Amino acid sequence: MEVARGLEGVLFTESRMCFIDGEAGRLYYYGIPIQELAEKSTFEETTFLLLHGRLPKREELEAFKRELAVRRALPPHLLDSFRRYPTSAHPMSFLRTAVSELGMLDPTEADISREALYQKGLDLIAKFATIVAANKRLKEGKEPIPPREDLSHAANFLYMANGVEPSPEQERLMDAALILHAEHGFNASTFTAIAAFSTETDLYSAITAAVASLKGPRHGGANEAVMKMIREIGTPERAREWVQEKLSKKERIMGMGHRVYKAFDPRAGVLEKLARLVAETHGHSTEYQILKIVEEEAGKVLNPRGIYPNVDFYSGVVYSDLGFGLEFFTPIFAVARISGWVGHILEYKELDNRLLRPDAKYIGELDRPYVPLEARG
């Protein structure tokens, strides 16, 4: 049997949720192009789509928004725990631990019936934003801000994180960013969630595993690396020389290239427009200029090899403008991707929830003798 390194090209299930055409640079949620959702939809509506497989009617959407809004508040016990978490902890470690603790606080944790999973999923989707915002406030030496039920998911997240109600433009920026990150097929964290849930563990455990997977710099942490790259370059004037030096050493350009896409990542195209808006409106032109020069210079060598900007390339500039520091970029990713994780778990359970148990090609020796300790030298 041939070994599929990194499980590349291996089909282990069927799904209607997400289709990625890597050669043409296209992404669809339940058949709807991502560009249309990012331009016309909201995070709540897109989440309904991911959980139900269709867009909601007006009254369904209003009811769904209310369902999420009333679930935003955290248990007092959990907030007390937050104050005992080390302030030096990475926000993804904070989120991972908080999700695990939420499970312990749920007396119905072990119930994995379809309806129970759906209700717990709504709870986690609503609370992820509250957890991340509370962590940001505590890191700044401030008290967490209780959620508001009269704001959208994106606006409430920004309000809890920054202490002021966002402008309509800021709300729209966050909404679009969350939609773009909500789902992306069987990436590492989604596969991890499915692998864990296939054992019939509880939802909190499966999502905790997904958060742990997303924390890795080769997955969710890549957008942090892009902003570090911008800081290392420093000025637009230095960008071309920096890229040439990196490429001459055959080093990676962060935010360029994707395992699936051999064309421009469609999410990066939307985020580039948002980053341009941020640069033109709010004066963050230096970061944007550096990224455009890096994209152009690196593209001369990388584009012919099918390597283009991915979703992480421009997202950091948008998050920075919305008031978030570097270490909160990946948690924002999680605030969005929780919808995709829950949607895939619901779908996989309905299919058959077959236990995932891959194999490995054995390349070691057989029938080796046991050498007594005293004879091993």
Side-chain angles (χ1 to χ4, degrees), residues 75 77-78 100-109:
H77 180 90
L78 188 61
S100 186
E101 192 166 351
L102 270 176
M104 291 192 293
L105 295 173
D106 184 352
T108 67
E109 178 187 35

Side-chain angles (χ1 to χ4, degrees), residues 21-336:
D21 183 344
E23 295 297 326
R26 295 174 182 167
L27 170 63
Y28 303 84
Y29 294 175
Y30 277 106
I32 302 176
I34 189 61
Q35 293 92 334
E36 286 202 40
L37 290 169
E39 179 185 345
K40 303 172 183 176
S41 187
T42 63
F43 179 71
E44 291 93 330
E45 184 180 58
T46 299
T47 296
F48 185 100
L49 171 67
L50 294 175
L51 299 187
H52 294 271
R54 61 178 177 84
L55 291 172
K57 298 176 182 178
R58 186 181 300 276
E59 59 273 18
E60 288 178 319
L61 179 57
E62 291 306 311
F64 187 72
K65 288 163 68 175
R66 286 194 299 272
E67 274 197 275
L68 287 177
V70 299
R71 296 167 185 265
R72 291 171 178 164
L74 300 174
H77 180 90
L78 188 61
L79 285 168
D80 290 340
S81 292
F82 286 179
R83 295 181 178 92
R84 294 191 293 271
Y85 289 179
T87 55
S88 60
H90 192 283
M92 285 300 286
S93 300
F94 187 105
L95 177 61
R96 182 194 64 219
T97 306
V99 174
S100 186
E101 192 166 351
L102 270 176
M104 291 192 293
L105 295 173
D106 184 352
T108 67
E109 178 187 35
D111 187 351
I112 58 170
S113 64
R114 174 63 170 71
E115 182 57 23
L117 286 173
Y118 180 77
Q119 296 299 329
K120 295 175 200 296
L122 290 183
D123 229 45
L124 288 170
I125 292 166
K127 287 179 168 56
F128 259 47
T130 313
I131 293 169
V132 172
N135 183 202
K136 180 177 182 291
R137 298 283 296 178
L138 289 167
K139 271 190 170 292
E140 293 169 351
K142 304 170 184 175
E143 273 297 296
I145 296 175
R148 282 171 49 180
E149 296 180 13
D150 61 316
L151 297 175
S152 71
H153 193 79
N156 179 65
F157 179 38
L158 290 173
Y159 165 71
M160 292 188 298
N162 297 328
V164 294
E165 191 172 331
S167 68
E169 181 193 72
Q170 291 171 323
E171 178 183 5
R172 187 65 202 135
L173 283 172
M174 179 54 74
D175 228 354
L178 293 177
I179 290 168
L180 292 169
H181 285 89
E183 162 58 7
H184 204 242
F186 289 97
N187 51 82
S189 57
T190 301
F191 182 78
T192 300
I194 294 296
F197 187 74
S198 75
T199 69
E200 296 197 344
T201 191
D202 63 275
L203 183 65
Y204 299 98
S205 295
I207 298 301
T208 299
V211 172
S213 178
L214 186 66
K215 183 174 183 280
R218 296 179 70 180
H219 188 9
N223 49 17
E224 294 184 34
V226 172
M227 289 302 287
K228 290 176 182 175
M229 174 184 75
I230 292 174
R231 291 177 182 177
E232 183 180 336
I233 295 172
T235 63
E237 293 74 23
R238 188 168 176 268
R240 292 190 191 281
E241 180 185 347
W242 185 92
V243 170
Q244 292 165 3
E245 184 180 336
K246 285 287 182 181
L247 292 177
S248 69
K249 296 178 181 178
K250 301 190 183 303
E251 295 180 8
R252 288 185 63 196
I253 305 296
M254 298 310 299
M256 299 280 287
H258 194 280
R259 175 76 72 86
V260 176
Y261 292 110
K262 306 307 176 190
F264 205 93
D265 184 335
R267 301 168 299 171
V270 177
L271 281 165
E272 190 276 335
K273 294 177 183 177
L274 299 180
R276 188 192 320 150
L277 175 66
V278 165
E280 293 171 352
T281 308
H282 302 143
H284 290 256
S285 58
T286 299
E287 291 91 339
Y288 180 74
Q289 287 176 44
I290 289 173
L291 287 177
K292 290 303 294 182
I293 294 170
V294 169
E295 178 188 342
E296 179 189 341
E297 191 65 28
K300 296 174 184 176
V301 175
L302 300 180
N303 290 174
R305 290 155 46 188
I307 300 174
Y308 296 84
N310 59 42
V311 70
D312 298 308
F313 196 74
Y314 287 105
S315 62
V317 173
V318 176
Y319 295 158
S320 178
D321 182 67
L322 291 171
F324 292 92
L326 199 65
E327 59 186 347
F328 279 94
F329 292 177
T330 308
I332 297 172
F333 196 152
V335 169

